[in-house]
Amino acid sequence: MSKKNLLAKNISKDQELKKLAQLTDRDLFLNLRTSEKGLSNQDAKTRLEEYGPNEVSAQKPTPAWLLFLQAFNDPFVYVLALLVIVSIATKDFQAAIVMVIMILASVLITFIQEYRSQKASIELKELIENTSAITRNGETAEIPMDEIVPGDILTLATGDMIPADAVLIWTKDLFVNQSSLTGESMPIEKFVNSDHNKISEETALDLSNLVFMGTDVLSGQGKAIILKTGQQTFFGDIAKNATAKRGKTSFDIGLTKVSKLLLRMIMVLFPLVLLINGVTKGDWSSAFFFAIAVAVGLTPEMLPMIVSSNLAKGALTLSKQKVIVKELAAIQNLGGMDILCTDKTGTITEDRVVLVEHLNPLGEENRQVLDLTFLNSTYQTGWKNLMDIAVINYYEEQKQQLPYQTVQKIDEIPFDFSRRRLTVVIKADDHQLMITKGAVEEMATVCDKVEINGEILPLTDELKEKLQEVNQKMNRQGMRVITVAIKKDVHSDAIYSSSDEKNMTLIGFMGFLDPAKESAKTAIDSLHQHGVNVKVLTGDNEIVAQKVCNDVGIDASKYVLGTEVDRMSDQELQIAGDTTNLFAKLNPMQKARIIENLQTKGHTVGFMGDGINDAPALRKADVGISVDTAADITKDASSIILLEKSLTVLESGVLEGRRVFSNMMKYIKITISSNFGNVFSILVASAFLPFLPMLSMQLLLQNLIYDIAQLTIPWDNVDEEELVKPTKWETKGLLKFTVCIGPISSIFDILTFVLMWYVFGANTIGNQNLFQTGWFVVGLTTQALVVLMVRTRKIPFIQSRPAPQVLASLLAAVVVGIIIVITPIRAQFDFVALPNAYWVWYFLIVVGYLIAVQIGKKIYIKIAGEWV
């Protein structure tokens, strides 16, 4: 679609929404053929067929044919395709056929893995499917977002993601975050009616009575009629027509670096092999085809498949361990994570808050504090937190009776993250009573009186000191404390606002206990042992957080408060991030800033949280980790979803991420070093032999058999030592590894050359096929079996065993190569029968090579201090 047509489409859509926004409720119901009771189930079904699922382009699965075409989009496939074209142009059809088979094998396997991965991802997403509260047939229930249709009646509450474009018909202190559409981070208050005189001057996004797909509710509540769904929404247009691509992760950057390194090697060695063979043999045509075969040998055409197979296998393995992967690349980032930032509640605590104390300002048990808190928790209509539930449960279990004859709710000032208070206004008997509860520090700023034993006293410095002592005593016992205050007869009507939260009378404190999980200490100890430092980023006060941290083994001797974070420069915050494990009294943006500065220092940072206020930090982290019970916007910001809120479950994910990365690096390092050794051997042989050391067809066959044998690498076992530290993409060590380990194979290749030349007399052009056959068998065997040596830093089989399927595939490659040579099939590839005496020398060379690699491996580890 052209920019002009797209602009016209958006203007048309904007005008249509603005027109609907001006209608009365009655006209809206008539226009959309609905009512306050919502649609009937049959009508909703019909509209779903008419309008389609409430999905945007970005959410729809990629068609199979497009996945297949995308599998060709790889630099190594491009190299092979270019070589195929050259081979066809020079009428080397046999080589072209083999290379086409290699391309199709790589592409088909990559396609199958991606298709399976997408299918599994769709199935897994059903486990964490977002829902919305929709009224149909007069009953309100949670239904999947993709089943919502125009005309549905939507109920909104704090933490909800808005599923479609809608017009509001009722609101109560509704604040919405529209940053996904407008880029404006400040919350916007929404009302039922807009100023119709200004509508002509505004866009639909500016109207206060419209809400849009992709935005979320920060606080308050409301009801709306769905106007547009799916691709017809504003968000749908953005998803379909956005040109900006998502930024590359460390995984993408690392893979690109490896690909560039391999391609540079090909560009250097191809002309070198061509030149040496052309000059020494005088047959530039054969030299050209041989150089092409060498280039194919250097091309790790199975790399895309190995990567996607590893990630897909990791995602499926993690799903069985209650870890759902939304983005496959997040698996490697999970393995590379060296700092885990986590909220405190529910992660390292039981997430099972119980009310243990209700005290007056002097620290004495007080029934009035309990009654007032119960009224506040019961009559608030926002998202009830764990403390609200604990109060209600306690009150009902104790079978308490309210001290008032009649109670009627008048108004409410909902909670928000800046005030950290919530007020409910009730009419109790003959008085209107503002009941406010909130965080201790924030409540202290709005209270100037206290009530003690029925007497109201000014809040003197002496009483403030006493209040602080009571609060700190509760904190030291591990309690989470909130303050309760009241104010009588402020207004006669329901016109209360946050400006009324002043000159209040402090009634007392409520103490809640959320004990540390027994499993948390073990899990944190294990994460520490595996190189992951755990930091707590919490909105709670530092004393409670300190006690919980100490209970689970996190060093919280030093802490930083949110007020201090605001005063710090980025450099100061980076230093604090490295030396401090507890950050308390944080707001959402402070959490995100701390994570950003840790990343600046080169750390791979994960963040685990489930609250609405955690969404900015989840988006900022390298790995956003949430749970399936989290708020919709929180799950949407995450790349990993845990089906159980536990660090033990997360630890399993970290280790699986490292296994995935380790197996990917095995393939890369083994293949590049082996191929480099072979090319080095070819260069030596080309300089001294009067014929090619191996025909291009034979070299291509060897590569094809070897590549197929590598397909089982994703299922290989990984040594425990490889899981101890976070994994990083380090291409610096890759070249060093290749230069040190690769030439070992060249030594034994040269021994094979000497054997075939002097012992078996393959030293003339007439006997070149014998020479080539002998080297083919040794080359294929050593290339396959060396995987068993290089896959571990330990002694193979004795200290570290490969997975059965890996061992079977490598042995099968050797057997297939030998069968080709000892059966009549050999004639198809210009091989000849080998003398019986050859097999004794073959055995000695292979065994000698494997021993030499083991010795070389030990020397390399000692010098370099690293391995695969």
Side-chain angles (χ1 to χ4, degrees):
M1 183 182 293
S2 68
K3 288 185 178 179
K4 184 176 180 180
N5 290 337
L6 179 59
L7 180 62
K9 180 181 176 182
N10 282 337
I11 291 173
S12 173
K13 184 173 293 183
D14 186 88
Q15 293 295 336
E16 186 179 356
L17 284 173
K18 285 166 65 175
K19 183 178 179 181
L20 290 170
Q22 297 179 65
L23 298 178
T24 64
D25 288 358
R26 180 178 178 278
D27 290 337
L28 280 169
F29 287 133
L30 288 172
N31 189 286
L32 293 161
R33 292 173 287 126
T34 186
S35 69
E36 290 184 358
K37 293 184 178 181
L39 303 171
S40 67
N41 290 330
Q42 182 57 46
D43 196 10
K45 182 179 179 181
T46 303
R47 294 191 188 194
L48 187 61
E49 294 174 356
E50 178 183 353
Y51 295 103
N54 182 33
E55 297 175 337
V56 297
S57 295
Q59 296 171 321
K60 294 178 181 177
T62 306
W65 64 269
L66 189 55
L67 278 178
F68 181 72
L69 292 180
Q70 288 174 351
F72 284 91
N73 187 21
D74 180 84
F76 303 116
V77 171
Y78 296 156
V79 171
L80 285 176
L82 177 62
L83 297 178
V84 168
I85 294 170
V86 173
S87 297
I88 292 174
T90 53
K91 299 184 179 180
D92 187 2
F93 298 113
Q94 282 186 312
I97 290 170
V98 172
M99 284 186 280
V100 167
I101 292 172
M102 297 173 85
I103 290 173
L104 290 177
S106 175
V107 166
L108 282 172
I109 296 170
T110 300
F111 162 71
I112 291 168
Q113 290 294 344
E114 288 290 340
Y115 182 78
R116 286 179 176 175
S117 172
Q118 177 175 274
K119 185 178 178 182
S121 178
I122 292 170
E123 292 172 353
L124 293 174
K125 277 185 178 180
E126 292 177 0
L127 296 173
I128 55 170
E129 190 167 35
N130 291 331
T131 60
S132 292
I134 296 296
T135 301
R136 289 179 182 171
N137 291 324
E139 296 182 359
T140 302
E142 294 285 334
I143 71 167
M145 284 187 180
D146 58 2
E147 296 179 12
I148 292 173
V149 295
D152 268 329
I153 305 300
L154 169 69
T155 299
L156 296 170
T158 304
D160 286 350
M161 182 180 293
I162 296 169
D165 292 353
V167 60
L168 293 163
I169 56 176
W170 176 81
T171 63
K172 177 63 177 176
D173 301 311
L174 184 65
F175 285 84
V176 173
N177 171 25
Q178 290 190 170
S179 60
S180 59
L181 295 178
T182 65
E184 174 57 56
S185 59
M186 293 297 292
I188 298 170
E189 187 169 9
K190 293 290 185 176
F191 308 95
V192 172
N193 296 313
S194 283
D195 187 345
H196 291 180
N197 294 326
K198 293 184 178 181
I199 281 183
S200 59
E201 303 171 11
E202 299 176 323
T203 67
L205 289 171
D206 296 320
L207 299 185
S208 61
N209 64 336
L210 291 178
V211 290
F212 302 91
M213 173 188 270
T215 63
D216 52 278
V217 179
L218 293 178
S219 62
Q221 50 196 315
K223 283 191 176 183
I225 304 175
I226 302 297
L227 301 177
K228 302 287 183 182
T229 59
Q231 211 59 54
Q232 298 305 310
T233 63
F234 264 91
F235 191 82
D237 273 348
I238 292 174
K240 184 177 180 181
N241 299 293
T243 55
K245 292 184 179 180
R246 186 178 180 181
K248 289 187 176 182
T249 65
S250 61
F251 173 81
D252 300 321
I253 294 169
L255 200 57
T256 300
K257 286 182 179 177
V258 170
S259 299
K260 287 181 178 178
L261 176 63
L262 295 173
L263 289 172
R264 281 197 294 268
M265 287 181 62
I266 293 171
M267 291 174 65
V268 170
L269 292 172
F270 174 81
L272 194 58
V273 171
L274 174 63
L275 186 63
I276 292 174
N277 281 284
V279 171
T280 57
K281 313 298 182 297
D283 186 348
W284 285 94
S285 176
S286 296
F288 178 74
F289 294 129
F290 185 68
I292 287 178
V294 170
V296 173
L298 278 171
T299 305
E301 55 278 338
M302 293 299 169
L303 182 60
M305 187 285 306
I306 294 289
V307 170
S308 59
S309 179
N310 259 296
L311 294 176
K313 175 186 172 291
L316 292 174
T317 301
L318 288 175
S319 70
K320 296 173 185 176
Q321 299 172 0
K322 300 183 180 180
V323 180
I324 306 302
V325 180
K326 286 175 61 183
E327 302 167 9
L328 285 181
I331 298 176
Q332 192 276 320
N333 291 329
L334 193 60
M337 180 176 68
D338 61 337
I339 290 180
L340 171 65
C341 296
T342 176
D343 196 4
K344 175 174 65 66
T345 305
T347 307
I348 58 178
T349 63
E350 289 283 358
D351 203 6
R352 183 179 53 83
V353 175
V354 292
L355 173 62
V356 289
E357 289 188 340
H358 40 96
L359 309 177
N360 71 7
L362 300 180
E364 301 164 345
E365 187 171 306
N366 185 278
R367 167 69 186 276
Q368 184 187 15
V369 179
L370 176 62
D371 290 334
L372 293 172
T373 310
F374 173 75
L375 287 168
N376 180 288
S377 297
T378 301
Y379 285 100
Q380 68 130 323
T381 53
W383 193 16
K384 285 183 170 57
N385 62 31
L386 294 170
M387 288 185 286
D388 291 317
I389 295 168
V391 170
I392 294 169
N393 288 343
Y394 180 89
Y395 209 85
E396 292 175 349
E397 288 169 5
Q398 298 295 321
K399 298 182 179 178
Q400 301 283 349
Q401 295 294 323
L402 287 169
Y404 307 108
Q405 295 295 320
T406 59
V407 175
Q408 177 188 352
K409 181 178 177 181
I410 301 298
D411 206 348
E412 179 178 355
I413 308 170
F415 177 88
D416 64 53
F417 296 111
S418 58
R419 287 167 42 249
R420 299 181 72 202
R421 295 186 294 269
L422 186 148
T423 296
V424 169
V425 185
I426 63 167
K427 186 174 183 181
D429 296 341
D430 296 326
H431 294 282
Q432 283 198 12
L433 193 62
M434 273 182 69
I435 307 172
T436 303
K437 70 174 190 290
V440 174
E441 290 81 357
E442 280 71 14
M443 289 295 292
T445 63
V446 299
C447 294
D448 59 3
K449 297 178 285 295
V450 296
E451 182 175 332
I452 301 175
N453 298 326
E455 184 179 0
I456 297 177
L457 304 171
L459 187 55
T460 63
D461 291 340
E462 183 180 350
L463 277 173
K464 285 181 181 179
E465 189 174 329
K466 180 61 179 176
L467 292 173
Q468 190 173 3
E469 288 176 7
V470 173
N471 181 36
Q472 289 180 346
K473 180 181 177 181
M474 297 172 76
N475 286 160
R476 284 192 294 268
Q477 293 172 343
M479 292 185 205
R480 301 169 67 181
V481 183
I482 63 170
T483 301
V484 182
I486 62 170
K487 193 175 181 182
K488 291 184 179 180
D489 300 324
V490 179
H491 300 291
S492 57
D493 298 316
I495 55 173
Y496 289 81
S497 69
S498 58
S499 62
D500 294 314
E501 294 175 335
K502 61 185 178 182
N503 306 126
M504 303 193 76
T505 301
L506 192 150
I507 301 299
F509 304 105
M510 299 289 284
F512 302 85
L513 201 59
D514 184 10
K517 285 183 178 178
E518 291 183 10
S519 61
K521 182 172 176 56
T522 304
I524 288 170
D525 285 344
S526 181
L527 285 169
H528 285 162
Q529 291 168 13
H530 288 94
V532 181
N533 190 17
V534 182
K535 297 181 184 291
V536 173
L537 276 56
T538 179
D540 285 348
N541 74 66
E542 66 279 9
I543 300 175
V544 173
Q546 246 185 336
K547 183 181 187 305
V548 174
C549 287
N550 292 333
D551 287 345
V552 297
I554 297 174
D555 179 12
S557 55
K558 294 197 302 182
Y559 58 82
V560 174
L561 300 178
T563 51
E564 296 173 298
V565 169
D566 284 338
R567 292 196 295 267
M568 289 180 175
S569 65
D570 285 343
Q571 291 76 14
E572 291 171 333
L573 189 54
Q574 288 166 22
I575 294 171
D578 277 340
T579 58
T580 308
N581 294 328
L582 172 60
F583 294 82
K585 301 290 292 180
L586 299 176
N587 64 38
M589 298 317 296
Q590 288 167 343
K591 291 182 181 181
R593 184 176 171 227
I594 291 167
I595 290 171
E596 184 176 17
N597 278 279
L598 288 170
Q599 291 169 324
T600 302
K601 290 280 286 184
H603 296 291
T604 300
V605 184
F607 181 80
M608 183 173 177
D610 66 345
I612 307 160
N613 58 330
D614 291 326
L618 288 165
R619 288 191 180 102
K620 182 64 65 177
D622 293 294
V623 189
I625 307 158
S626 189
V627 291
D628 64 328
T629 54
D632 292 343
I633 188 63
T634 309
K635 288 187 288 186
D636 187 64
S638 305
S639 50
I640 301 283
I641 305 288
L642 306 183
L643 299 183
E644 179 181 319
K645 194 173 184 181
S646 166
L647 286 177
T648 305
V649 172
L650 180 61
E651 179 196 358
S652 301
V654 169
L655 297 182
E656 184 60 31
R658 294 182 186 180
R659 288 189 187 94
V660 166
F661 181 82
S662 178
N663 282 334
M664 279 194 293
M665 290 309 296
K666 279 179 191 177
Y667 172 78
I668 292 169
K669 286 192 171 184
I670 290 169
T671 300
I672 191 174
S673 61
S674 177
N675 289 351
F676 178 79
N678 284 344
V679 171
F680 190 76
S681 302
I682 288 169
L683 292 174
V684 172
S686 300
F688 297 102
L689 296 178
F691 48 80
L692 292 174
M694 199 181 297
L695 299 179
S696 58
M697 176 56 62
Q698 296 165 349
L699 192 56
L700 290 170
L701 175 65
Q702 186 185 78
N703 289 329
L704 181 61
I705 295 172
Y706 172 74
D707 285 336
I708 292 174
Q710 298 295 296
L711 299 181
T712 56
I713 286 288
W715 285 264
D716 193 20
N717 299 327
V718 177
D719 296 336
E720 289 299 318
E721 289 81 357
E722 304 301 328
L723 306 178
V724 172
K725 295 181 179 180
T727 51
K728 304 282 186 183
W729 283 99
E730 294 289 351
T731 52
K732 292 185 294 183
L734 185 58
L735 194 57
K736 179 171 62 176
F737 177 91
T738 301
V739 172
C740 293
I741 300 299
I744 296 177
S745 66
S746 299
I747 295 172
F748 287 84
D749 284 336
I750 293 170
L751 286 176
T752 305
F753 299 161
V754 172
L755 174 72
M756 299 308 296
W757 186 274
Y758 292 106
V759 176
F760 295 108
N763 49 21
T764 64
I765 294 177
N767 287 330
Q768 65 174 319
N769 289 351
L770 178 61
F771 185 100
Q772 293 158 351
T773 305
W775 188 39
F776 171 84
V777 178
V778 169
L780 177 60
T781 304
T782 54
Q783 193 174 21
L785 297 185
V786 76
V787 173
L788 301 173
M789 313 301 293
V790 178
R791 58 166 292 278
T792 175
R793 67 172 65 217
K794 298 180 178 180
I795 300 174
F797 297 102
I798 297 175
Q799 296 177 328
S800 175
R801 296 182 180 181
Q805 51 266 59
V806 173
L807 179 60
S809 67
L810 295 173
L811 292 177
V814 175
V815 170
V816 168
I818 292 174
I819 288 174
I820 290 174
V821 169
I822 66 174
T823 64
I825 301 173
R826 60 178 176 252
Q828 299 298 318
F829 303 98
D830 290 332
F831 292 133
V832 296
L834 291 164
N836 291 334
Y838 166 85
W839 297 106
V840 176
W841 288 102
Y842 159 80
F843 177 79
L844 293 174
I845 288 173
V846 170
V847 172
Y849 171 62
L850 297 180
I851 293 172
V853 169
Q854 181 64 22
I855 295 171
K857 181 173 74 175
K858 292 296 182 184
I859 296 172
Y860 177 83
I861 292 173
K862 188 173 182 179
I863 296 172
E866 63 179 8
W867 191 238
V868 178

